[in-house]
Amino acid sequence: MEDKKSSLEIISPNLPNELDRLTIFDKNIQSEDSFTMGIISNALVENQIAEHVSFEKIIFKNVTFHNVSLKYLDLVDVRFENCDLSNMDLRESVLHKVEMVNCKMVGTNMSESTLRNVQFDNCNGSYALFRFLNCKQVNFKNSSLCNADFYKAKFLKVGFNNTNLQQTGMSGAKLKGIDLSSCKLEGLGVTVDDLDGCIVSPEQVMSFSNLLGLIIKS
């Protein structure tokens, strides 16, 4: 199946070939701190609370975040590789040209965040909170978003490719023009109005028979 990343024209992070290692989490991060040009790897980040922190041209690699709240986070040209962001509080953050690759995001709270040119590849975002998310040029690929919550999220040029959306809540998130045909949709929480113009496979229509008031005769 064609990868929708190219058709979405998502801009990848602009990162230098070589970056110096940063050890910024050896001390507590303060609100409004700003960090640029570096790689943070093989680290455990825990018990950090700050707001309006910014990262630009940063690679996070093999980093585990535990008991971390970074509300209003600003990320530009950032890549996360093999990181665990589970249960992080990232509400009202702004992500631009960001990649999440092989990351664990179980229960991560990104509600009311703004995403532009963001790619999630092979990530586990089960039970994550994406309520009121504002997305443009965003792709979820080969990922699990089961039981996640996209209540009233705004989607513009968003792709869901080979992604598990079982029991995912999307009430109030208009899906017109979005192709879900490669995804698992059993138990997807939507209304008939939300589905107007959504692209699904013939087999997936069965999943929405009750919602549509259909009685399927065998």
Side-chain angles (χ1 to χ4, degrees):
M1 180 171 292
E2 180 185 359
D3 185 350
K4 301 298 188 301
K5 181 178 179 179
S6 58
S7 63
L8 287 170
E9 298 180 352
I10 292 176
I11 303 172
S12 298
N14 182 15
L15 293 163
N17 292 328
E18 295 185 9
L19 290 168
D20 293 331
R21 182 171 180 180
L22 300 180
T23 56
I24 60 175
F25 292 110
D26 290 350
K27 59 181 181 180
N28 287 334
I29 291 181
Q30 303 299 313
S31 293
E32 301 188 9
D33 277 351
S34 180
F35 305 94
T36 186
M37 298 288 289
I39 181 169
I40 301 166
S41 61
N42 303 311
L44 171 62
V45 180
E46 55 184 347
N47 304 321
Q48 298 276 353
I49 300 176
E51 297 181 352
H52 298 287
V53 177
S54 65
F55 293 95
E56 184 173 357
K57 297 187 185 301
I58 299 288
I59 295 176
F60 292 89
K61 191 171 184 178
N62 300 316
V63 177
T64 297
F65 298 86
H66 177 68
N67 191 31
V68 174
S69 174
L70 295 176
K71 289 178 63 179
Y72 315 110
L73 183 66
D74 190 5
L75 300 176
V76 179
D77 292 316
V78 174
R79 180 185 298 136
F80 292 83
E81 301 177 17
N82 303 310
C83 293
D84 189 346
L85 301 88
S86 295
N87 298 311
M88 279 187 72
D89 186 354
L90 299 174
R91 284 175 289 168
E92 298 184 67
S93 295
V94 177
L95 284 67
H96 180 48
K97 293 188 290 182
V98 173
E99 290 180 346
M100 301 272 190
V101 182
N102 298 323
C103 290
K104 187 176 180 182
M105 303 176 63
V106 177
T108 301
N109 191 348
M110 295 183 67
S111 297
E112 299 182 76
S113 293
T114 299
L115 277 58
R116 298 291 185 268
N117 290 292
V118 178
Q119 170 92 343
F120 297 87
D121 190 354
N122 196 34
C123 293
N124 182 359
S126 300
Y127 297 96
L129 296 176
F130 299 112
R131 296 169 66 87
F132 302 101
L133 200 67
N134 188 319
C135 295
K136 183 178 180 180
Q137 303 293 134
V138 176
N139 194 32
F140 296 89
K141 177 182 175 184
N142 300 325
S143 297
S144 175
L145 297 171
C146 61
N147 292 285
D149 187 354
F150 286 88
Y151 177 72
K152 287 195 174 181
K154 293 183 179 179
F155 296 140
L156 179 62
K157 297 182 180 179
V158 174
F160 292 91
N161 303 296
N162 194 31
T163 290
N164 187 346
L165 296 174
Q166 292 174 304
Q167 305 299 324
T168 300
M170 288 190 171
S171 178
K174 303 305 180 183
L175 300 174
K176 184 176 182 178
I178 293 181
D179 189 345
L180 301 180
S181 61
S182 65
C183 300
K184 295 180 180 179
L185 302 181
E186 290 80 6
L188 182 68
V190 289
T191 67
V192 173
D193 289 341
D194 298 330
L195 288 173
D196 184 31
C198 181
I199 301 168
V200 297
S201 70
E203 294 78 14
Q204 289 170 332
V205 174
M206 297 284 290
S207 301
F208 301 117
S209 58
N210 290 334
L211 180 65
L212 298 173
L214 300 176
I215 298 175
I216 298 177
K217 185 177 180 181
S218 59

